[in-house]
Amino acid sequence: MPFNPIIAFLLSNALLIKAITACGLPYAGDLQDLSSFASSNRGALAKRHSVYHSPQKIALDNVRVFDGHKLTRPTTVIIDGTFIGTDATNAKHIDGRGAVLLPGFIDAHIHPMNVSDLESLAKNGVTTGYVMACYSAEMCTSLGGKGNDGLPSLLFSSAPASAPNSAHGNITARVDPSLGSILINSTSEVPTWTHRQLASNPDYFKLVAETPGLSQNTLTSLVKAARRVGKPTITHASMFEAYGQAILAKSDHIHHAPLDKPIGASMIKAILRNRQVVTPTLTMMRTTAKNNARKYNFRASLETVRSLHKAGVPILTGTDANLAPGVPAGVSFGTSIHDEMENLVEAGMSNAEALRAATNLPAKYFGLRDRGVIRPGMRADLVLVEGDPVADIKATRKIKKVWIGGVELSGV
Ligand SMILES: *[C@@H]1O[C@H](CO)[C@@H](O)[C@H](O)[C@H]1NC(C)=O
Ligand SMILES: *[C@@H]1O[C@H](CO)[C@@H](O)[C@H](O)[C@H]1NC(C)=O
Ligand SMILES: *[C@@H]1O[C@H](CO)[C@@H](O)[C@H](O)[C@H]1NC(C)=O
Ligand SMILES: [Zn+2]
């Protein structure tokens, strides 16, 4: 089978390997495999309960705090249980002199399969993640994701909406033939698809714009249906033509950035008018282009982000982290959030803007009111780094400590 690296945007490891190895064979049983994955995840999570400690009361003294724009003067931040507090009585004091405290990072596009993927995210300071392709709700929810066990909070997508015979539709059908019935052949099937997805109560709907793929009418109708049932839409668009479709459909979020041709002024104006938010996943675009330079052009992605940012379109960090051995576009969990911030700086953002793209902005545009800034009452999702990331974005890699909901990670 000719392997299309774009597939990797949607698939996590096991699904992808199955899809490749099962190529051309009639086959079923992946949902069963997903179930056994799910049960081993549940087992691994249960074992973790003996590994982490409950949140404590900690006063972090003399620490400078990233306030969304700059660093404050040295101050004290109190971690009181799950949240940031105000009262240092009986707190254990930690000297944060010379270090900088940041809100936990939010990765708006990941494909974790197991607890070790989540641990890699956590120790790199990712405290919240958006899981982007839940073919099986059971598989996704087996990852936990409540943010109360020293692992990142997770939000979950629907199954990706795609058309029969499209690249993504073929994958869906191959994952399990019974999923073929959730492919969308025409606009008239949108209500049924929506209804089926709601059964697993996803946090948002994942839609796929591609050529060949869903028609403009179907994509637009999916966005409208999602809005009626109160679900945000996130549309995959990794090529110029698909970007045009995602814009016309008025999807709330657009993920990826075109790998063929940068978008122009009229499309950027439309994105602004529609108040759309872009997560370009430059780390994935760069890796994909590197592995297939004849077909893809990373400069197109970079130029697109540069123009979007200049025009004032909100840009969020997402990495498309997935570990699929042998796949040309594997992106590692956790370390890639630092790569993505550097990529955004390369696309013209300031260091402070790149930090905001990984903290306050995703919280704001996903409506997570309890995180993204360091303030009493907010979740104690915190990253303590050495050095000053506002002066040098690479300093986010020098992590000293991470807390998720007040739970301190050991052995960072
Ligand atoms: C999807 O699979 C069908 C049937 O094998 C094939 O004809 C079609 O070209 C595939 N679509 C893409 C975009 O690869
Ligand atoms: C949509 O297309 C798929 C794949 O070709 C097929 O299995 C399914 O029955 C079709 N659905 C409807 C409602 O026609
Ligand atoms: C977890 O999943 C990743 C793929 O996302 C895989 O590479 C790794 O081997 C798995 N680890 C365990 C402990 O199962
Ligand atoms: Zn993806």
Side-chain angles (χ1 to χ4, degrees):
M1 154 183 143
F3 178 67
N4 178 351
I6 298 298
I7 287 167
F9 294 176
L10 274 171
L11 280 187
S12 37
N13 178 19
L15 300 185
L16 190 53
I17 293 164
K18 294 280 178 197
I20 294 166
T21 54
C23 185
L25 301 172
Y27 99 120
D30 274 304
L31 284 190
Q32 222 172 329
D33 288 342
L34 290 179
S35 287
S36 72
F37 258 112
S39 82
S40 90
N41 283 342
R42 284 190 292 265
L45 280 178
K47 259 194 232 136
R48 274 185 59 81
H49 286 292
S50 56
V51 188
Y52 71 86
H53 301 285
S54 305
Q56 287 177 302
K57 195 171 194 183
I58 290 169
L60 198 49
D61 298 316
N62 307 314
V63 73
R64 289 193 301 161
V65 172
F66 177 63
D67 71 0
H69 299 276
K70 58 176 182 359
L71 300 185
T72 64
R73 304 167 69 84
T75 181
T76 295
V77 173
I78 294 152
I79 299 172
D80 191 353
T82 307
F83 301 99
I84 298 170
T86 50
D87 171 17
T89 314
N90 296 329
K92 178 183 146 196
H93 286 261
I94 297 180
D95 190 8
R97 203 178 303 262
V100 166
L101 194 65
L102 302 160
F105 304 130
I106 299 175
D107 189 333
H109 194 133
I110 53 174
H111 297 280
M113 285 300 283
N114 56 35
V115 172
S116 74
D117 294 342
L118 300 180
E119 283 168 342
S120 306
L121 289 165
K123 69 180 186 202
N124 279 284
V126 175
T127 56
T128 302
Y130 280 75
V131 181
M132 274 302 146
C134 292
Y135 288 96
S136 146
E138 185 197 14
M139 169 67 218
C140 276
T141 54
S142 74
L143 292 165
K146 304 251 184 272
N148 60 357
D149 51 7
L151 293 174
S153 306
L154 300 176
L155 293 105
F156 298 117
S157 77
S158 63
S162 58
N165 295 320
S166 67
H168 287 88
N170 283 355
I171 294 296
T172 301
R174 241 184 259 119
V175 168
D176 180 67
S178 74
L179 289 173
S181 59
I182 66 169
L183 296 177
I184 304 178
N185 304 330
S186 76
T187 307
S188 65
E189 288 170 30
V190 167
T192 316
W193 185 88
T194 305
H195 187 73
R196 281 188 65 162
Q197 296 308 312
L198 283 177
S200 53
N201 194 26
D203 294 297
Y204 42 92
F205 283 178
K206 172 77 184 280
L207 315 177
V208 180
E210 61 186 331
T211 312
L214 299 170
S215 70
Q216 184 67 56
N217 276 347
T218 303
L219 203 60
T220 305
S221 154
L222 280 162
V223 171
K224 286 187 179 150
R227 210 155 275 155
R228 276 196 295 273
V229 296
K231 298 290 178 189
T233 46
I234 293 178
T235 300
H236 160 110
S238 59
M239 301 296 253
F240 181 86
E241 193 177 339
Y243 242 72
Q245 279 199 304
I247 294 168
L248 276 177
K250 301 196 172 143
S251 168
D252 301 298
H253 293 258
I254 305 177
H255 277 214
H256 311 302
L259 273 169
D260 47 353
K261 177 168 130 182
I263 66 171
S266 64
M267 284 162 91
I268 289 170
K269 253 192 215 140
I271 289 176
L272 276 172
R273 203 168 47 236
N274 296 343
R275 298 175 181 277
Q276 289 169 300
V277 177
V278 173
T279 301
T281 69
L282 286 175
T283 304
M284 176 51 115
M285 306 334 270
R286 189 192 285 280
T287 314
T288 303
K290 193 154 93 193
N291 294 330
N292 195 339
R294 271 180 306 138
K295 191 161 176 198
Y296 301 119
N297 173 16
F298 178 61
R299 298 197 59 76
S301 306
L302 211 52
E303 282 317 306
T304 296
V305 176
R306 192 181 296 281
S307 324
L308 286 168
H309 173 62
K310 248 195 219 150
V313 174
I315 309 277
L316 313 183
T317 50
T319 63
D320 215 347
N322 74 95
L323 288 180
V327 169
V331 170
S332 55
F333 289 90
T335 52
S336 54
I337 196 78
H338 309 290
D339 297 336
E340 189 65 12
M341 284 188 262
E342 286 170 27
N343 284 328
L344 293 179
V345 168
E346 188 178 332
M349 289 169 69
S350 70
N351 295 337
E353 285 166 340
L355 292 169
R356 201 147 67 235
T359 56
N360 337 27
L361 291 190
K364 174 174 173 188
Y365 290 105
F366 284 119
L368 304 174
R369 300 219 173 90
D370 60 351
R371 66 196 73 188
V373 294
I374 298 176
R375 205 170 53 212
M378 290 286 172
R379 273 178 66 86
D381 286 354
L382 299 165
V383 187
L384 187 70
V385 303
E386 219 173 275
D388 175 0
V390 175
D392 174 10
I393 196 67
K394 288 193 161 62
T396 60
R397 295 181 190 270
K398 294 187 224 136
I399 293 181
K400 292 165 74 91
K401 281 183 193 296
V402 177
W403 290 267
I404 302 183
V407 175
E408 182 178 337
L409 263 70
S410 47
V412 166

